[in-house]
Amino acid sequence: MKQSELRAIPAVEKVLQALGDTGVPRPIVLEMVRRELAELRKRKSVPAFDAVLASMRDSLRDLSASRIRPLINGTGILIHTNFGRAPLGPDVIGAMSSIGSNYSNLEYGLIGGTRGGRAAYLEQSLAVLCAAEAATVVNNNAAALVLILRHFCQAGTEVSQRRGRNGAHRTPPPKNEVIISRGELIQIGGGFRIPDILESSGAKLHEVGTTNKTSLRDYARAIGPETALILKVHRSNFFMGGFVESAPAEEIAELARKKRVPFVEDLGSGAMVETETIAGLEHEPTPSEVIRRGVDLVCFSGDKLLGGPQAGVIAGKAKLIAALKSDPFFRALRCDKLILSALEATADIYMRGQQGIPVLEMVHAPIDQLRLRGERIRSALNGLPIKASVGEGKAQIGGGTLPRSVIASVTLDLVHNTIKAQEIAARLRDHAVPVIGYVARGSVKLDLRTIFPRQDAELIAAIRVVCR
Ligand SMILES: *Cc1c(COP(=O)(O)O)cnc(C)c1O
């Protein structure tokens, strides 16, 4: 018989003691140890105690690393979906902190001392910012889209039966078709596909046009008694060039009005500023621009170009917003007080024309200022076995927004005398405050546009530890 077959399963207590302080709460460690030992029991042979411990330490390390914590974003991608999209500024955090740590008038009318409406001030602010009759907000833009689709698409059974001319019962067709251009059946991020969202909301897809061309006539021909709405989806994360045509929104809007069909646009990023005034950026349609074109409802994310908390803003016709808000499903998607206060503070910043949207401050940071920071960081790295230099970078908006736009940026480039760039990058990721950069032509590059100036000292400390 082999040694391994003779070994006994170690006792839970013995393993716990040997693991020592793992930095992970004891109940989690205990559960994991029990589970891994149970797995061992199923096997024919038991590995050596040290191997068992090592495997448990690996599992704990993986688990620990998945705990949410701040990191330094040196990728140059401003709205990084993997990194929590838009970071929030001090005023917004201040609002969340004071509302979160106190009771508030969330649903209380201070004037009359009675139950009050939720988010009335915020909804008014968003309507003003979008130049819309009304606005409301749900958990994210995907939720906004689902709410709109579910509300306007009625299954056949929900429509009351009407009597036909000959007296027989006749069920009218279900009003559940959503007309959408084949050029807009897009996938946003991991697992977010417009056709899937449509179907899961009970809508029937009615594709019109072709991938590259959809005309007004295509929309006109598709409208029938089963049409629930016309949906336009902003191609936010890719672009089409060449032999391309899409019907102008103004014309679709006119057609929709004539046929009494709601016209909805999923805008995606919700830019409130004229992006084309920023060097390197193209024009990104703003919600007010879309409303002006005659769209009945527009929806967009709170944490993309708006630069606020994760939320889904819906703006447009007062009657339609009111109808959405009275849909029972709205209750399942509504935001909590922290998000509402954060969005309220974000909207305030825009209306007062103040600073305080970090994503916009990063976009606007002058290149000379970035270069100066780069030089300062570089000179603070003296004495390390590395070659550090200040290079040129290309920052991007990210978050599925403005994919063609590139913002000139500055990178800190690190080449270690003996250790490969990939290994340095891995060590930076594994640092107490993780630093994420990218590797290009043998050096680790850290884009300074997405690193807050207040993080420079932390960055220097991380590089010092990793590159010793
Ligand atoms: C990002 C995006 C969404 C999804 O928004 P979330 O806020 O992430 O739910 C939907 N549609 C478009 C066009 C987008 O760009």
Side-chain angles (χ1 to χ4, degrees), residues 97-238:
S97 165
S98 90
I99 296 304
S101 57
N102 290 290
Y103 292 110
S104 65
N105 61 338
L106 181 68
E107 292 184 7
Y108 182 73
L110 289 172
I111 311 272
T114 50
R115 190 188 165 86
R118 200 180 161 95
Y121 183 93
L122 171 62
E123 289 179 340
Q124 184 76 54
S125 307
L126 292 170
V128 167
L129 282 171
C130 298
E133 288 176 13
T136 192
V137 58
V138 290
N139 284 324
N140 49 47
N141 193 25
L145 202 53
V146 171
L147 175 65
I148 292 169
L149 291 168
R150 277 185 59 118
H151 181 78
F152 292 107
C153 298
Q154 306 156 345
T157 51
E158 283 173 29
V159 180
S160 63
Q161 290 195 337
R162 280 188 225 130
R163 236 167 228 285
R165 210 185 303 162
N166 57 5
H169 281 291
R170 190 164 54 88
T171 309
K175 225 176 175 49
N176 66 351
E177 274 190 13
V178 173
I179 298 175
I180 182 169
S181 159
R182 289 199 170 86
E184 295 170 8
L185 291 173
I186 64 178
Q187 170 159 352
I188 312 290
F192 184 100
R193 289 183 162 174
I194 293 292
D196 297 345
I197 292 277
L198 269 149
E199 251 153 57
S200 71
S201 311
K204 222 176 109 202
L205 194 62
H206 190 144
E207 304 171 29
V208 296
T210 60
T211 302
N212 55 334
K213 285 203 170 215
T214 304
S215 67
L216 187 67
R217 261 177 53 110
D218 293 324
Y219 285 99
R221 269 203 306 244
I223 297 178
E226 304 188 354
T227 306
L229 60 94
I230 299 176
L231 179 65
K232 195 168 168 56
V233 181
H234 179 51
R235 287 185 206 120
S236 51
N237 57 358
F238 75 111

